[in-house]
PDB file of all heavy atoms in Angstrom:
ATOM      1  N   ALA K  88      18.320 129.356  72.826  1.00 93.00           N
ATOM      2  CA  ALA K  88      17.454 128.644  71.875  1.00 93.00           C
ATOM      3  C   ALA K  88      17.034 127.268  72.382  1.00 93.00           C
ATOM      4  O   ALA K  88      15.975 126.751  72.006  1.00 93.00           O
ATOM      5  CB  ALA K  88      18.164 128.514  70.533  1.00 93.00           C
ATOM      6  N   GLN K  89      17.858 126.657  73.250  1.00 93.00           N
ATOM      7  CA  GLN K  89      17.548 125.328  73.787  1.00 93.00           C
ATOM      8  C   GLN K  89      16.774 125.391  75.096  1.00 93.00           C
ATOM      9  O   GLN K  89      16.469 124.367  75.710  1.00 93.00           O
ATOM     10  CB  GLN K  89      18.849 124.537  74.011  1.00 93.00           C
ATOM     11  CG  GLN K  89      19.543 124.078  72.736  1.00 93.00           C
ATOM     12  CD  GLN K  89      20.177 125.221  71.981  1.00 93.00           C
ATOM     13  OE1 GLN K  89      20.869 126.048  72.558  1.00 93.00           O
ATOM     14  NE2 GLN K  89      19.958 125.273  70.673  1.00 93.00           N
ATOM     15  N   GLY K  90      16.449 126.600  75.559  1.00 94.00           N
ATOM     16  CA  GLY K  90      15.722 126.753  76.802  1.00 94.00           C
ATOM     17  C   GLY K  90      16.601 126.784  78.032  1.00 94.00           C
ATOM     18  O   GLY K  90      16.102 126.759  79.169  1.00 94.00           O
ATOM     19  N   THR K  91      17.917 126.855  77.838  1.00 96.00           N
ATOM     20  CA  THR K  91      18.853 126.912  78.966  1.00 96.00           C
ATOM     21  C   THR K  91      18.899 128.325  79.529  1.00 96.00           C
ATOM     22  O   THR K  91      19.076 129.284  78.772  1.00 96.00           O
ATOM     23  CB  THR K  91      20.268 126.505  78.515  1.00 96.00           C
ATOM     24  OG1 THR K  91      20.210 125.195  77.946  1.00 96.00           O
ATOM     25  CG2 THR K  91      21.236 126.517  79.689  1.00 96.00           C
ATOM     26  N   PRO K  92      18.741 128.485  80.852  1.00 96.00           N
ATOM     27  CA  PRO K  92      18.779 129.825  81.448  1.00 96.00           C
ATOM     28  C   PRO K  92      20.132 130.498  81.239  1.00 96.00           C
ATOM     29  O   PRO K  92      21.183 129.883  81.457  1.00 96.00           O
ATOM     30  CB  PRO K  92      18.522 129.553  82.933  1.00 96.00           C
ATOM     31  CG  PRO K  92      17.814 128.242  82.969  1.00 96.00           C
ATOM     32  CD  PRO K  92      18.426 127.440  81.859  1.00 96.00           C
ATOM     33  N   ILE K  93      20.113 131.763  80.820  1.00 97.00           N
ATOM     34  CA  ILE K  93      21.352 132.532  80.653  1.00 97.00           C
ATOM     35  C   ILE K  93      21.306 133.837  81.443  1.00 97.00           C
ATOM     36  O   ILE K  93      22.289 134.578  81.476  1.00 97.00           O
ATOM     37  CB  ILE K  93      21.641 132.837  79.169  1.00 97.00           C
ATOM     38  CG1 ILE K  93      20.461 133.585  78.532  1.00 97.00           C
ATOM     39  CG2 ILE K  93      21.959 131.560  78.412  1.00 97.00           C
ATOM     40  CD1 ILE K  93      20.723 134.034  77.096  1.00 97.00           C
ATOM     41  N   GLY K  94      20.197 134.103  82.099  1.00 98.00           N
ATOM     42  CA  GLY K  94      20.088 135.317  82.908  1.00 98.00           C
ATOM     43  C   GLY K  94      18.670 135.506  83.406  1.00 98.00           C
ATOM     44  O   GLY K  94      17.766 134.712  83.100  1.00 98.00           O
ATOM     45  N   SER K  95      18.473 136.560  84.192  1.00 98.00           N
ATOM     46  CA  SER K  95      17.141 136.881  84.692  1.00 98.00           C
ATOM     47  C   SER K  95      17.094 138.347  85.081  1.00 98.00           C
ATOM     48  O   SER K  95      18.121 138.991  85.271  1.00 98.00           O
ATOM     49  CB  SER K  95      16.786 136.012  85.911  1.00 98.00           C
ATOM     50  OG  SER K  95      17.636 136.303  86.999  1.00 98.00           O
ATOM     51  N   PHE K  96      15.876 138.867  85.185  1.00 96.00           N
ATOM     52  CA  PHE K  96      15.709 140.238  85.662  1.00 96.00           C
ATOM     53  C   PHE K  96      14.343 140.371  86.323  1.00 96.00           C
ATOM     54  O   PHE K  96      13.441 139.570  86.091  1.00 96.00           O
ATOM     55  CB  PHE K  96      15.862 141.257  84.518  1.00 96.00           C
ATOM     56  CG  PHE K  96      14.951 141.041  83.337  1.00 96.00           C
ATOM     57  CD1 PHE K  96      13.640 141.533  83.331  1.00 96.00           C
ATOM     58  CD2 PHE K  96      15.390 140.347  82.216  1.00 96.00           C
ATOM     59  CE1 PHE K  96      12.810 141.340  82.247  1.00 96.00           C
ATOM     60  CE2 PHE K  96      14.561 140.143  81.118  1.00 96.00           C
ATOM     61  CZ  PHE K  96      13.266 140.643  81.136  1.00 96.00           C
ATOM     62  N   ARG K  97      14.205 141.378  87.168  1.00 94.00           N
ATOM     63  CA  ARG K  97      12.925 141.623  87.829  1.00 94.00           C
ATOM     64  C   ARG K  97      12.827 143.100  88.183  1.00 94.00           C
ATOM     65  O   ARG K  97      13.833 143.773  88.412  1.00 94.00           O
ATOM     66  CB  ARG K  97      12.781 140.783  89.107  1.00 94.00           C
ATOM     67  CG  ARG K  97      13.771 141.121  90.201  1.00 94.00           C
ATOM     68  CD  ARG K  97      13.556 140.280  91.450  1.00 94.00           C
ATOM     69  NE  ARG K  97      14.578 140.542  92.458  1.00 94.00           N
ATOM     70  CZ  ARG K  97      14.523 141.542  93.336  1.00 94.00           C
ATOM     71  NH1 ARG K  97      13.473 142.360  93.333  1.00 94.00           N
ATOM     72  NH2 ARG K  97      15.482 141.712  94.211  1.00 94.00           N
ATOM     73  N   LYS K  98      11.592 143.583  88.215  1.00 89.00           N
ATOM     74  CA  LYS K  98      11.349 144.970  88.581  1.00 89.00           C
ATOM     75  C   LYS K  98      11.184 145.082  90.084  1.00 89.00           C
ATOM     76  O   LYS K  98      10.495 144.267  90.710  1.00 89.00           O
ATOM     77  CB  LYS K  98      10.093 145.498  87.872  1.00 89.00           C
ATOM     78  CG  LYS K  98       9.914 147.006  87.968  1.00 89.00           C
ATOM     79  CD  LYS K  98       8.798 147.479  87.043  1.00 89.00           C
ATOM     80  CE  LYS K  98       8.748 148.998  87.002  1.00 89.00           C
ATOM     81  NZ  LYS K  98       7.713 149.487  86.051  1.00 89.00           N
ATOM     82  N   ASP K  99      11.844 146.065  90.670  1.00 89.00           N
ATOM     83  CA  ASP K  99      11.710 146.338  92.103  1.00 89.00           C
ATOM     84  C   ASP K  99      10.504 147.257  92.255  1.00 89.00           C
ATOM     85  O   ASP K  99      10.607 148.475  92.076  1.00 89.00           O
ATOM     86  CB  ASP K  99      12.984 147.012  92.628  1.00 89.00           C
ATOM     87  CG  ASP K  99      13.005 147.116  94.139  1.00 89.00           C
ATOM     88  OD1 ASP K  99      11.947 147.398  94.727  1.00 89.00           O
ATOM     89  OD2 ASP K  99      14.085 146.936  94.732  1.00 89.00           O
ATOM     90  N   PHE K 100       9.348 146.668  92.556  1.00 82.00           N
ATOM     91  CA  PHE K 100       8.105 147.424  92.532  1.00 82.00           C
ATOM     92  C   PHE K 100       8.108 148.572  93.528  1.00 82.00           C
ATOM     93  O   PHE K 100       7.646 149.687  93.220  1.00 82.00           O
ATOM     94  CB  PHE K 100       6.918 146.495  92.805  1.00 82.00           C
ATOM     95  CG  PHE K 100       5.593 147.190  92.765  1.00 82.00           C
ATOM     96  CD1 PHE K 100       5.065 147.649  91.561  1.00 82.00           C
ATOM     97  CD2 PHE K 100       4.862 147.395  93.933  1.00 82.00           C
ATOM     98  CE1 PHE K 100       3.842 148.302  91.522  1.00 82.00           C
ATOM     99  CE2 PHE K 100       3.641 148.048  93.901  1.00 82.00           C
ATOM    100  CZ  PHE K 100       3.132 148.509  92.698  1.00 82.00           C
ATOM    101  N   GLY K 101       8.629 148.348  94.730  1.00 75.00           N
ATOM    102  CA  GLY K 101       8.652 149.392  95.754  1.00 75.00           C
ATOM    103  C   GLY K 101       9.453 150.612  95.323  1.00 75.00           C
ATOM    104  O   GLY K 101       8.967 151.749  95.360  1.00 75.00           O
ATOM    105  N   LYS K 102      10.682 150.392  94.881  1.00 76.00           N
ATOM    106  CA  LYS K 102      11.533 151.505  94.468  1.00 76.00           C
ATOM    107  C   LYS K 102      11.027 152.159  93.183  1.00 76.00           C
ATOM    108  O   LYS K 102      11.275 153.340  92.939  1.00 76.00           O
ATOM    109  CB  LYS K 102      12.967 151.015  94.265  1.00 76.00           C
ATOM    110  CG  LYS K 102      13.667 150.633  95.554  1.00 76.00           C
ATOM    111  CD  LYS K 102      15.115 150.224  95.294  1.00 76.00           C
ATOM    112  CE  LYS K 102      15.816 149.890  96.598  1.00 76.00           C
ATOM    113  NZ  LYS K 102      17.229 149.477  96.384  1.00 76.00           N
ATOM    114  N   SER K 103      10.300 151.387  92.383  1.00 67.00           N
ATOM    115  CA  SER K 103       9.843 151.892  91.095  1.00 67.00           C
ATOM    116  C   SER K 103       8.664 152.854  91.203  1.00 67.00           C
ATOM    117  O   SER K 103       8.287 153.477  90.206  1.00 67.00           O
ATOM    118  CB  SER K 103       9.465 150.725  90.173  1.00 67.00           C
ATOM    119  OG  SER K 103      10.605 149.967  89.836  1.00 67.00           O
ATOM    120  N   LEU K 104       8.087 152.987  92.387  1.00 68.00           N
ATOM    121  CA  LEU K 104       6.979 153.917  92.539  1.00 68.00           C
ATOM    122  C   LEU K 104       7.420 155.340  92.233  1.00 68.00           C
ATOM    123  O   LEU K 104       6.652 156.149  91.706  1.00 68.00           O
ATOM    124  CB  LEU K 104       6.402 153.832  93.961  1.00 68.00           C
ATOM    125  CG  LEU K 104       5.687 152.519  94.298  1.00 68.00           C
ATOM    126  CD1 LEU K 104       5.267 152.506  95.757  1.00 68.00           C
ATOM    127  CD2 LEU K 104       4.461 152.329  93.393  1.00 68.00           C
ATOM    128  N   LEU K 105       8.663 155.681  92.558  1.00 69.00           N
ATOM    129  CA  LEU K 105       9.193 157.012  92.282  1.00 69.00           C
ATOM    130  C   LEU K 105      10.264 157.019  91.200  1.00 69.00           C
ATOM    131  O   LEU K 105      10.477 158.038  90.540  1.00 69.00           O
ATOM    132  CB  LEU K 105       9.772 157.629  93.565  1.00 69.00           C
ATOM    133  CG  LEU K 105       8.764 157.987  94.653  1.00 69.00           C
ATOM    134  CD1 LEU K 105       9.482 158.526  95.882  1.00 69.00           C
ATOM    135  CD2 LEU K 105       7.742 159.010  94.142  1.00 69.00           C
ATOM    136  N   ARG K 106      10.937 155.888  91.014  1.00 79.00           N
ATOM    137  CA  ARG K 106      12.024 155.825  90.031  1.00 79.00           C
ATOM    138  C   ARG K 106      12.183 154.376  89.598  1.00 79.00           C
ATOM    139  O   ARG K 106      12.557 153.529  90.400  1.00 79.00           O
ATOM    140  CB  ARG K 106      13.321 156.344  90.654  1.00 79.00           C
ATOM    141  CG  ARG K 106      14.463 156.529  89.682  1.00 79.00           C
ATOM    142  CD  ARG K 106      15.642 157.115  90.444  1.00 79.00           C
ATOM    143  NE  ARG K 106      16.734 157.498  89.589  1.00 79.00           N
ATOM    144  CZ  ARG K 106      17.878 158.052  90.017  1.00 79.00           C
ATOM    145  NH1 ARG K 106      18.032 158.283  91.311  1.00 79.00           N
ATOM    146  NH2 ARG K 106      18.832 158.381  89.172  1.00 79.00           N
ATOM    147  N   SER K 107      11.858 154.085  88.354  1.00 83.00           N
ATOM    148  CA  SER K 107      11.876 152.694  87.885  1.00 83.00           C
ATOM    149  C   SER K 107      13.209 152.031  88.171  1.00 83.00           C
ATOM    150  O   SER K 107      14.270 152.569  87.820  1.00 83.00           O
ATOM    151  CB  SER K 107      11.577 152.645  86.389  1.00 83.00           C
ATOM    152  OG  SER K 107      10.254 153.051  86.138  1.00 83.00           O
ATOM    153  N   THR K 108      13.146 150.868  88.805  1.00 90.00           N
ATOM    154  CA  THR K 108      14.350 150.159  89.239  1.00 90.00           C
ATOM    155  C   THR K 108      14.230 148.684  88.889  1.00 90.00           C
ATOM    156  O   THR K 108      13.187 148.060  89.122  1.00 90.00           O
ATOM    157  CB  THR K 108      14.545 150.303  90.770  1.00 90.00           C
ATOM    158  OG1 THR K 108      14.637 151.703  91.096  1.00 90.00           O
ATOM    159  CG2 THR K 108      15.810 149.593  91.229  1.00 90.00           C
TER     160      THR K 108
END
Side-chain angles (χ1 to χ4, degrees):
Q89 289 71 47
T91 303
I93 57 175
S95 65
F96 55 84
R97 65 179 176 84
K98 192 170 188 177
D99 189 321
F100 181 70
K102 290 183 178 180
S103 294
L104 292 175
L105 292 177
R106 189 177 188 179
S107 293
T108 302

